[in-house]
Amino acid sequence: MFLRELTMSIDHIKGAGPASIHALARAGITGVAGLLCRYPRDWEDRSKTILLKDFNLSPVCTAVRVLAHDWFGFGNTKALKVYVEDESARAVLVCFNRSFMDKVLLVGNYYRLWGVFHYKFGELQSSTFEVEALQKKRDGEPGMGESSGSADPGKQSTFGRILPVYPLNTGLSQGMLRKFIQQALAQYAGPVEDELPRDIMIRYGLLPKSKALKAIHFPESLEELEKAKQTLIYEELFYLEVLVGRRAMERRAVTGSRGRGNEQAALRLSPLQQRLLERLPFSLTSGQEEAAAEINRDMERPYPMARLLQGDVGSGKTLVSFLAALRVAEQGGQAALMAPTELLARQHAENAARLLEPLGIRPAFLTGNIRAAGRSALLKSLAAGEIDLVVGTHALFSRDVAYNNLRLVVIDEQHRFGVVQRQAVMAKGDHPGLLMMSATPIPRTLALTVFGDMDVSVIRDLPPGRKPVRTHLARESNEAKVYDFVRNELAAGRQAYFVYPLIEADTNRGLKDAESMAVRLGESVFPDYPVAMIHSRLDEEEKRKTMEHFRKGDIRILAATSVVEVGVDVPNATCMVIEHAERFGLSALHQLRGRVGRGTDQSYCFLVYSDALTDEGKARLKVMLENADGFVIAEEDLKLRGPGHIAGTEQSGYFVLGIADPLRDASRLEQARSDAFSMLERDPSLSLPEHRCVAQVLNRAPPFGNIGL
Ligand code: ADP
Ligand code: MG
């Protein structure tokens, strides 16, 4: 029997009553398999003695004698102090809200003690501890609460072994999970079959599945725990990579009337691509050239393209996607370019009209805000194939939109789309190529997992002539100096962004907001220059007009929220002032700073911070001050925040595997990948049963369903 086949409900477990079954169900645990897959988040080694004197090495695990009781405080705040000693030192157990402990910890008796200790008020103290009687209780004393031991023969001691610590939800307790999981293991784990191929288990010395399951919850030793972890981690990654590999094979198996496999043609730019480049006032950077060539090669292949184009803010990814669209149009196909905001989509549409229309390309702009007559006419021409490139928001893939011959889907700022239904997008054409663009660098290991089926191009260089943005930190109380500096830039004909964390005033939060500051900047700080405001709550028409005026230079100062974070491109703007900068994440700061430094003039970014700055805020601003490279900033971000927090991936569940973490387990991941791929190569029809934790990822976390997988 495989683990996933343990579908019987929790009430098959001895001792599980309705209340606990309900609490488990609320935490999403309904069957035995789910219970066994509730892996601990940590383990406490209570098998070894750690004396009180070693309290700063780890939690203490020792035997103590109770010396005395002492009460302190009054009324409701009255609390008990219990003085104890072991062979190395004396200490105090502080019992808040546990005044019954005076009946549990009896003076003169011996107990096992586990606890986290600190020095406080000259004493070695703990208020987080557990005890268990070592000696028989005296007659007539009630056996209460923590003094488990002999009182409840069914309950196992929490001492003398390695104890699992589970992630909890409301209604769940450690004791309950430990009890039920132990019981479930005893009833069901024995016959659980291995899911990994034998030769792989032997090669890496992995544990049999049933043993790994027991050991992950209740290991006999730390060595056994480590083996159990390695086994289960590898298993998940292997199954994941089999899925990735199979998807890759399926894509390559799609053939038809697409690329002609003409390597020669792939190496050359197509006639329209060439004409576009001739019309540009600059030439491609080598990164752009390479990416364009890789895409051309993809398009000559018989199977559809799936490529991720990474390039830092301002590296010119849009142009690369236009080149791809041109090639598609030349071959009689249609391309769709999707951007995460209407603002950005409109900017792309305007650029497409300016750059591509003169070449005979018929571009169009489609968002959810285009209604009635205009929309239906547009949809008609799209369906009739009278439009070659349509630019828009996710409205491009709403139900009533039909394409004549959709051959290329470009998703810009891919990380900004929480949930893109890849199926819905791809179903608009007959296996169209997919080009995803992102300025958020994704570490290689993650790219392997999530974009496992995608090829990756990276643009590492920026267009020449760009001067690095000069970044300055300024205290809020020094903002007048920043304003003076910006005034000089305005006098020299340039423009400025001011970015705030809030749209409107919120007196409770004591933060500046875009609305009030737009008024203040216009009336008192820069009365000689036109100021406008932009944020997500304005209607689209107003946003459009504001951006147009700003781009033309009729508006010189834009008071904004982070709506301007994505993609906005106004080369004459040389100042980016971010107020309450400590409130923004590193990737947002990097994106915002990327809005300036887009022309040939020297640009500046001011990070204005509140006088009360936390250490973490300080560290983040320092990263911005010292680094310009988005890849480095992303790595620093990762270090500051820990894995699982890569910009743009927090909510998206990239990391929701059972126990494996693609970042932490990077080398295992690559191993599992190569094992899985070579197995598929040997046996393309290889069919593995569905893996419980991996299947959950696919069902629960949409990005896997919509991106690589
Ligand atoms: P991103 O990669 O951040 O999307 P964009 O595509 O918005 O960058 O390009 C940023 C700016 O750089 C645009 O104004 C674009 O016209 C310009 N640009 C693109 N490629 C080049 C190049 N090779 N040389 C000079 N400027 C370029
Ligand atoms: Mg862009």
Side-chain angles (χ1 to χ4, degrees):
M1 189 176 246
F2 290 110
L3 176 65
R4 66 178 173 282
E5 291 165 334
L6 299 178
T7 50
M8 60 292 277
S9 65
I10 303 284
D11 53 11
H12 284 71
I13 293 172
K14 272 187 215 126
S20 12
I21 290 175
H22 182 69
L24 288 169
R26 281 212 309 184
I29 304 172
T30 51
V32 169
L35 188 61
L36 294 179
C37 283
R38 180 78 167 196
Y39 297 132
R41 65 170 168 76
D42 202 1
W43 294 261
E44 280 168 10
D45 185 359
R46 299 188 184 181
S47 65
K48 281 195 305 266
T49 298
I50 305 288
L51 294 174
L52 280 168
K53 74 171 168 54
D54 296 324
F55 71 96
N56 52 2
L57 300 179
S58 84
V60 164
C61 186
T62 184
V64 294
R65 189 167 73 99
V66 174
L67 302 173
H69 288 174
D70 184 22
W71 292 92
F72 66 102
F74 301 94
N76 288 338
T77 63
K78 201 168 154 193
L80 175 69
K81 273 178 160 186
V82 178
Y83 290 84
V84 298
E85 71 174 0
D86 73 355
E87 60 186 273
S88 73
R90 289 190 175 191
V92 186
L93 305 176
V94 185
C95 313
F96 293 109
N97 302 319
R98 297 206 263 178
S99 44
F100 59 84
M101 291 301 280
D102 68 335
K103 309 260 182 353
V104 174
L105 289 164
L106 304 175
V107 175
N109 279 13
Y110 289 86
Y111 299 86
R112 294 171 117 169
L113 166 70
W114 182 92
V116 179
F117 282 82
H118 306 279
Y119 252 106
K120 217 169 165 184
F121 309 121
E123 297 176 325
L124 192 51
Q125 284 197 352
S126 174
S127 51
T128 314
F129 62 88
E130 285 174 40
V131 291
E132 186 178 289
L134 258 179
Q135 278 191 336
K136 259 194 150 41
K137 286 181 196 64
R138 275 181 268 160
D139 284 350
E141 295 293 346
M144 287 190 64
E146 334 267 315
S147 71
S148 60
S150 54
D152 175 1
K155 194 170 163 193
Q156 265 224 13
S157 170
T158 58
F159 284 85
R161 56 187 183 140
I162 299 169
L163 202 65
V165 181
Y166 294 99
L168 295 179
N169 299 62
T170 15
L172 297 185
S173 70
Q174 295 296 347
M176 176 176 159
L177 283 169
R178 285 173 193 154
K179 190 169 103 191
F180 290 148
I181 289 175
Q182 181 132 7
Q183 188 60 41
L185 285 168
Q187 283 176 241
Y188 296 104
V192 165
E193 281 176 64
D194 294 336
E195 308 198 29
L196 285 171
R198 270 233 81 74
D199 55 327
I200 285 186
M201 292 181 54
I202 292 165
R203 190 180 325 152
Y204 300 122
L206 303 178
L207 296 179
K209 178 81 183 216
S210 79
K211 195 156 182 210
L213 271 179
K214 283 181 195 156
I216 202 74
H217 292 289
F218 298 102
E220 301 274 329
S221 65
L222 291 178
E223 296 70 51
E224 197 194 47
L225 173 61
E226 192 50 38
K227 274 202 166 166
K229 279 191 203 168
Q230 291 311 327
T231 300
L232 296 174
I233 287 171
Y234 180 89
E235 188 188 282
E236 281 177 16
L237 296 173
F238 178 79
Y239 270 72
L240 183 66
E241 290 302 324
V242 168
L243 287 175
V244 169
R246 181 162 320 123
R247 198 50 76 94
M249 281 173 35
E250 280 167 18
R251 176 161 67 89
R252 283 171 179 74
V254 174
T255 48
S257 62
R258 36 196 82 242
R260 291 171 297 269
N262 186 340
E263 276 291 319
Q264 286 307 309
L267 295 178
R268 281 190 307 271
L269 291 175
S270 72
L272 279 184
Q273 287 178 329
Q274 218 135 25
R275 276 179 56 202
L276 173 60
L277 294 188
E278 280 158 16
R279 292 171 49 90
L280 289 175
F282 48 74
S283 47
L284 293 182
T285 64
S286 63
Q288 285 172 313
E289 223 163 58
E290 230 164 87
E294 282 167 337
I295 291 169
N296 277 354
R297 227 169 296 146
D298 286 349
M299 288 184 176
E300 276 303 317
R301 298 218 162 91
Y303 51 85
M305 163 168 80
R307 186 168 287 278
L308 173 67
L309 175 58
Q310 289 193 30
D312 208 348
V313 188
S315 59
K317 297 183 289 293
T318 320
L319 190 56
V320 174
S321 72
F322 283 179
L323 289 169
L326 281 177
R327 196 176 179 100
V328 164
E330 271 169 310
Q331 297 173 351
Q334 292 175 304
L337 165 56
M338 177 163 74
T341 65
E342 188 142 349
L343 210 63
L344 182 54
R346 188 182 306 277
Q347 183 179 286
H348 287 334
E350 282 163 6
N351 284 331
R354 183 169 55 85
L355 294 171
L356 306 183
E357 231 163 9
L359 304 177
I361 296 296
R362 298 158 298 178
F365 178 55
L366 177 64
T367 72
N369 281 306
I370 297 172
R371 300 243 166 267
R375 183 180 172 91
S376 72
L378 202 156
L379 293 188
K380 236 192 214 155
S381 356
L382 201 54
E386 293 156 12
I387 287 168
D388 304 306
L389 168 64
V390 60
V391 182
T393 57
H394 54 267
L396 289 179
F397 301 100
S398 35
R399 200 169 310 144
D400 60 339
V401 179
Y403 294 79
N404 180 272
N405 183 16
L406 182 63
R407 272 302 157 97
L408 172 68
V409 174
V410 182
I411 301 182
D412 191 21
E413 305 287 350
Q414 161 280 133
H415 61 283
R416 300 287 302 220
F417 289 96
V419 178
V420 185
Q421 293 306 326
R422 185 185 179 195
Q423 296 311 329
V425 171
M426 303 310 262
K428 295 285 183 189
D430 172 21
H431 296 90
L434 178 63
L435 177 64
M436 299 203 294
M437 307 200 288
S438 179
T440 302
I442 296 158
R444 181 182 141 72
T445 55
L446 188 63
L448 275 184
T449 323
V450 182
F451 304 101
D453 174 32
M454 303 200 80
D455 302 304
V456 181
S457 299
V458 183
I459 305 181
R460 295 199 186 276
D461 42 2
L462 291 178
R466 300 258 175 94
K467 300 192 180 80
V469 178
R470 288 201 189 131
T471 302
H472 298 280
L473 299 187
R475 248 175 217 285
E476 198 174 355
S477 45
N478 279 338
E479 67 184 10
K481 282 195 193 149
V482 176
Y483 294 158
D484 289 345
F485 189 98
V486 172
R487 199 170 291 115
N488 280 334
E489 283 290 298
L490 292 166
R494 319 256 197 270
Q495 293 165 273
Y497 298 94
F498 282 78
V499 175
Y500 302 93
L502 297 179
I503 294 180
E504 57 189 9
D506 177 349
T507 43
N508 295 329
R509 305 187 50 189
L511 295 176
K512 290 184 181 144
D513 61 280
E515 270 181 15
S516 324
M517 285 306 292
V519 174
R520 199 180 128 200
L521 293 176
E523 285 178 359
S524 50
V525 185
F526 306 112
D528 302 335
Y529 298 99
V531 177
M533 168 181 72
I534 194 157
H535 57 69
S536 58
R537 257 193 255 147
L538 298 178
D539 76 60
E540 289 304 328
E541 185 53 19
E542 206 173 336
K543 271 193 245 176
R544 186 189 67 77
K545 278 199 186 133
T546 304
M547 278 320 290
E548 192 180 309
H549 288 306
F550 188 63
R551 191 164 299 129
K552 283 200 199 131
D554 306 339
I555 289 170
R556 304 289 296 282
I557 298 152
L558 203 54
T561 59
S562 55
V563 275
V564 293
E565 175 185 326
V566 205
V568 173
D569 184 37
V570 180
N572 190 47
T574 56
C575 294
M576 167 61 68
V577 182
I578 307 172
E579 303 222 41
H580 303 291
E582 73 281 1
R583 300 247 150 196
F584 295 82
L586 272 178
S587 88
L589 290 173
H590 178 62
Q591 288 277 348
L592 285 169
R593 182 167 63 184
R595 296 309 116 212
V596 296
R598 299 188 147 244
T600 43
D601 299 311
Q602 179 62 53
S603 287
Y604 305 89
C605 174
F606 296 94
L607 303 173
V608 182
Y609 59 90
S610 311
D611 293 332
L613 186 63
T614 62
D615 285 347
E616 207 233 315
K618 210 180 286 172
R620 244 181 300 145
L621 297 186
K622 193 158 163 273
V623 170
M624 289 303 292
L625 195 62
E626 292 171 356
N627 297 286
D629 182 329
F631 279 80
V632 178
I633 290 175
E635 271 164 29
E636 291 296 324
D637 198 23
L638 204 62
K639 278 189 218 153
L640 287 176
R641 304 209 281 173
H645 286 107
I646 293 182
T649 66
E650 296 93 328
Q651 340 80 318
S652 52
Y654 287 145
F655 291 91
V656 197
L657 283 166
I659 188 170
D661 175 337
L663 270 183
R664 181 197 60 201
D665 307 322
S667 60
R668 280 264 138 174
L669 175 69
E670 300 208 19
Q671 215 162 44
R673 180 182 174 84
S674 94
D675 292 340
F677 277 44
S678 61
M679 248 175 104
L680 279 170
E681 226 159 76
R682 280 199 307 272
D683 177 10
S685 64
L686 172 76
S687 119
L688 288 178
E690 194 175 78
H691 184 278
R692 199 171 186 291
C693 294
V694 175
Q696 269 181 353
V697 170
L698 296 178
N699 296 336
R700 279 216 204 124
F704 279 96
N706 69 56
I707 309 179
L709 289 166

